Amino acid sequence: HAADAHRTDLMTITRFVLNEQSKYPESRGDFTILLNHIVLGCKFVCSAVNKAGLAKLIGLAGETNGEEQKKLDVLSNEVFVKALVSSGRTCILISEEDEEATFVDPSKRGRYCVVFDPLDGSSNIDCGVSIGTIFGIYMIKDNHEPTLDDVLQPGKQMLAAGYCMYGSSCTLVLSTGEGVNGFTLDPSLGEFILTHPDIKIPKKGKIYSVNEGNAKNWDGPTAKYVEKCKFPKDGSSSKSLRYIGSMVADVHRTLLYGGIFLYPADKKSPSGKLRVLYEVFPMSFLMEQAGGQAFTGKQRALDLVPTKIHERSPIFLGSFDDVEDIKALYAAEGKKE
Ligand code: P6P
């Protein structure tokens, strides 16, 4: 019984990754050490996010300790940068919060490049909507002096990707290229325990997830696809709309329940809104590993080669068959051109 196993078997995320890495005799544990430092960052952010509301409340009562209430996304970024540098396993860090890349000092340098959004969706903190950390891990191309070229790699070169969702519980979803597994933080132990082994996304879903408020700016294929979701021609039932406006929450629901998440290009933002390196790639990596797919409107998302570290891309990701449907509409459009 799972609960008993939990009590005695304690499959923590560290043990799980060690088991996985033991398949590679040449691995020296560097990846496990790196991951442990990412997990440390997630535990800190989980605690800070859970207290944020309370701290703000106390602050409102005029009892602030004088220290300027640091914005949570800035604080989270500092924690992740410090944790990743101190791991001694990274050489380049790309954060949504930092305009420029962080090149780790040679004395602390390792072989991994980490791209991350420390607190995606942070505008939702004040109303208690789930938010999250998103991350992806590349290996440096070769042992030369690290350059941006080492992170401007297509998503298919990622060694691992994941997110940590800070909601009613703290859930970390991770893939190291051999499927997707979910871990839930047990606060009494301070450990992430395996709770969602080998996640597979349903082949087809009944939910579509998009900001309908942008409908007037959509291109033809996106507009046609959403129309099909609402007024199916083949007599099937229409899909439900679920849009939280926090990518980690929308993607987590899509992964577990199936369906499709869309952030399309539109006339206002021709490359869409979401960032390639630390939003599109990690979520696309997870979707493919869970049996789904991810499409940019032009190509497989993981084949995209970024040219700038904060580059954006349209993204359609989720259940295999649902993404196949929108790919067909873009292909038909392409034939017309
Ligand atoms: P919109 C949050 O600000 C975010 O970056 C993602 O987490 C989310 O999916 C998206 O933007 C929501 O954007 O334009 O629908 O409010």
Side-chain angles (χ1 to χ4, degrees), residues 9 17 29 58 66 105 115 132 140 154 167 178 201 209 221-222 224 228 248 264 270 302-303 307 312:
D9 193 15
V17 171
I58 292 169
D105 184 86
V115 295
I140 192 166
E178 291 166 36
I201 184 170
S209 186
T222 290
K224 278 196 196 87
K228 247 177 70 132
V248 172
L302 293 182
D303 285 343
T307 53
R312 301 169 194 265

Short mmCIF file of all heavy atoms in Angstrom, two decimals, residues 9 17 29 58 66 105 115 132 140 154 167 178 201 209 221-222 224 228 248 264 270 302-303 307 312:
data_model
loop_
_atom_site.label_atom_id
_atom_site.label_comp_id
_atom_site.label_asym_id
_atom_site.label_seq_id
_atom_site.Cartn_x
_atom_site.Cartn_y
_atom_site.Cartn_z
N ASP A 9 9.46 2.95 3.09
CA ASP A 9 10.38 2.89 1.95
C ASP A 9 10.98 4.26 1.65
O ASP A 9 12.06 4.38 1.15
CB ASP A 9 9.63 2.35 0.73
CG ASP A 9 10.62 1.98 -0.36
OD1 ASP A 9 11.82 1.88 0.00
OD2 ASP A 9 10.25 1.83 -1.51
N VAL A 17 16.68 9.93 -7.84
CA VAL A 17 17.65 10.37 -8.85
C VAL A 17 18.93 9.55 -8.74
O VAL A 17 19.52 9.15 -9.73
CB VAL A 17 17.92 11.88 -8.71
CG1 VAL A 17 19.07 12.31 -9.60
CG2 VAL A 17 16.66 12.67 -9.06
N GLY A 29 27.96 11.63 -9.86
CA GLY A 29 27.07 12.19 -8.84
C GLY A 29 26.88 13.69 -8.99
O GLY A 29 26.19 14.31 -8.20
N ILE A 58 0.84 40.88 8.32
CA ILE A 58 1.49 41.49 9.51
C ILE A 58 2.00 42.87 9.11
O ILE A 58 1.82 43.86 9.80
CB ILE A 58 2.65 40.58 9.97
CG1 ILE A 58 2.07 39.27 10.52
CG2 ILE A 58 3.51 41.30 11.01
CD1 ILE A 58 3.12 38.20 10.77
N GLY A 66 10.77 46.88 9.54
CA GLY A 66 11.56 47.96 8.95
C GLY A 66 12.22 47.52 7.65
O GLY A 66 12.29 48.24 6.69
N ASP A 105 32.01 32.00 -11.37
CA ASP A 105 33.45 32.19 -11.21
C ASP A 105 34.19 30.86 -11.43
O ASP A 105 33.75 29.81 -10.94
CB ASP A 105 33.72 32.69 -9.77
CG ASP A 105 35.19 32.99 -9.56
OD1 ASP A 105 35.59 34.11 -9.88
OD2 ASP A 105 35.91 32.05 -9.14
N VAL A 115 18.78 26.99 -16.86
CA VAL A 115 17.89 28.08 -17.26
C VAL A 115 16.66 27.98 -16.37
O VAL A 115 16.17 26.87 -16.12
CB VAL A 115 17.51 27.97 -18.76
CG1 VAL A 115 18.73 28.15 -19.65
CG2 VAL A 115 16.84 26.65 -19.07
N GLY A 132 4.87 28.99 -9.60
CA GLY A 132 5.88 27.93 -9.64
C GLY A 132 7.24 28.35 -10.13
O GLY A 132 7.43 29.42 -10.70
N ILE A 140 27.32 21.73 -20.66
CA ILE A 140 28.14 22.65 -21.45
C ILE A 140 28.62 21.92 -22.71
O ILE A 140 28.82 20.70 -22.68
CB ILE A 140 29.33 23.15 -20.60
CG1 ILE A 140 30.04 24.32 -21.28
CG2 ILE A 140 30.31 22.04 -20.30
CD1 ILE A 140 30.98 25.07 -20.37
N PRO A 154 19.03 23.94 -28.80
CA PRO A 154 17.62 23.52 -28.91
C PRO A 154 17.19 22.74 -27.66
O PRO A 154 18.01 22.09 -27.01
CB PRO A 154 17.60 22.64 -30.17
CG PRO A 154 19.00 22.28 -30.44
CD PRO A 154 19.87 23.34 -29.86
N GLY A 167 1.33 25.42 -4.34
CA GLY A 167 -0.14 25.54 -4.25
C GLY A 167 -0.58 24.94 -2.93
O GLY A 167 0.12 25.04 -1.94
N GLU A 178 13.98 10.07 -18.91
CA GLU A 178 13.44 8.69 -18.87
C GLU A 178 12.05 8.70 -18.23
O GLU A 178 11.81 8.05 -17.21
CB GLU A 178 14.39 7.79 -18.09
CG GLU A 178 15.68 7.57 -18.88
CD GLU A 178 16.77 6.98 -18.01
OE1 GLU A 178 16.44 6.15 -17.13
OE2 GLU A 178 17.92 7.37 -18.20
N ILE A 201 0.52 11.57 -19.99
CA ILE A 201 -0.62 12.44 -20.29
C ILE A 201 -1.62 11.68 -21.16
O ILE A 201 -1.22 10.94 -22.06
CB ILE A 201 -0.15 13.74 -21.01
CG1 ILE A 201 -1.33 14.69 -21.24
CG2 ILE A 201 0.57 13.43 -22.32
CD1 ILE A 201 -0.92 16.08 -21.72
N SER A 209 -7.01 25.30 -22.92
CA SER A 209 -6.57 26.32 -21.96
C SER A 209 -5.87 27.46 -22.71
O SER A 209 -4.75 27.29 -23.21
CB SER A 209 -5.58 25.67 -20.96
OG SER A 209 -5.23 26.56 -19.94
N PRO A 221 -5.37 29.76 -38.02
CA PRO A 221 -5.38 28.39 -37.47
C PRO A 221 -5.76 28.36 -35.99
O PRO A 221 -6.55 27.53 -35.56
CB PRO A 221 -3.96 27.91 -37.71
CG PRO A 221 -3.48 28.70 -38.88
CD PRO A 221 -4.11 30.05 -38.73
N THR A 222 -5.23 29.30 -35.18
CA THR A 222 -5.59 29.30 -33.75
C THR A 222 -7.08 29.58 -33.60
O THR A 222 -7.78 28.88 -32.85
CB THR A 222 -4.77 30.36 -32.98
OG1 THR A 222 -3.40 29.94 -32.93
CG2 THR A 222 -5.28 30.53 -31.56
N LYS A 224 -9.47 29.06 -35.74
CA LYS A 224 -10.22 27.89 -36.22
C LYS A 224 -10.21 26.78 -35.17
O LYS A 224 -11.21 26.13 -34.90
CB LYS A 224 -9.62 27.35 -37.53
CG LYS A 224 -10.07 28.11 -38.78
CD LYS A 224 -9.77 27.29 -40.07
CE LYS A 224 -9.86 28.20 -41.28
NZ LYS A 224 -8.54 28.87 -41.55
N LYS A 228 -13.31 25.11 -33.12
CA LYS A 228 -13.58 23.65 -33.15
C LYS A 228 -13.79 23.12 -31.72
O LYS A 228 -14.62 22.25 -31.49
CB LYS A 228 -12.37 22.92 -33.77
CG LYS A 228 -12.63 22.27 -35.13
CD LYS A 228 -11.36 21.64 -35.69
CE LYS A 228 -10.97 20.43 -34.91
NZ LYS A 228 -10.65 19.22 -35.61
N VAL A 248 2.58 27.25 -14.69
CA VAL A 248 2.86 25.99 -13.99
C VAL A 248 1.55 25.29 -13.62
O VAL A 248 1.40 24.08 -13.80
CB VAL A 248 3.73 26.24 -12.74
CG1 VAL A 248 3.86 24.98 -11.90
CG2 VAL A 248 5.10 26.73 -13.15
N PRO A 264 -0.71 31.37 -28.05
CA PRO A 264 -0.43 31.59 -29.47
C PRO A 264 0.25 32.93 -29.73
O PRO A 264 0.32 33.78 -28.84
CB PRO A 264 -1.82 31.60 -30.11
CG PRO A 264 -2.82 31.47 -29.03
CD PRO A 264 -2.13 31.59 -27.72
N PRO A 270 3.86 38.98 -32.00
CA PRO A 270 4.03 37.99 -33.08
C PRO A 270 4.81 36.75 -32.65
O PRO A 270 4.70 35.71 -33.27
CB PRO A 270 4.79 38.77 -34.16
CG PRO A 270 5.22 40.04 -33.56
CD PRO A 270 4.40 40.29 -32.33
N LEU A 302 10.84 21.59 -29.34
CA LEU A 302 12.19 21.25 -28.87
C LEU A 302 13.25 21.34 -29.97
O LEU A 302 14.44 21.29 -29.69
CB LEU A 302 12.21 19.85 -28.23
CG LEU A 302 11.43 19.71 -26.91
CD1 LEU A 302 11.57 18.30 -26.36
CD2 LEU A 302 11.88 20.73 -25.86
N ASP A 303 12.80 21.51 -31.24
CA ASP A 303 13.77 21.66 -32.33
C ASP A 303 14.18 23.11 -32.52
O ASP A 303 15.15 23.41 -33.21
CB ASP A 303 13.17 21.16 -33.66
CG ASP A 303 13.12 19.63 -33.70
OD1 ASP A 303 13.82 18.99 -32.89
OD2 ASP A 303 12.36 19.08 -34.53
N THR A 307 18.08 32.27 -30.39
CA THR A 307 19.23 33.13 -30.73
C THR A 307 19.47 34.15 -29.62
O THR A 307 20.53 34.75 -29.55
CB THR A 307 18.94 33.90 -32.04
OG1 THR A 307 17.67 34.57 -31.88
CG2 THR A 307 18.84 32.94 -33.23
N ARG A 312 11.11 34.80 -27.11
CA ARG A 312 9.76 34.26 -26.88
C ARG A 312 9.38 33.34 -28.05
O ARG A 312 9.98 33.39 -29.11
CB ARG A 312 8.74 35.41 -26.81
CG ARG A 312 9.01 36.43 -25.72
CD ARG A 312 8.12 37.65 -25.91
NE ARG A 312 8.54 38.78 -25.11
CZ ARG A 312 8.02 39.07 -23.90
NH1 ARG A 312 7.08 38.28 -23.38
NH2 ARG A 312 8.43 40.11 -23.21
#
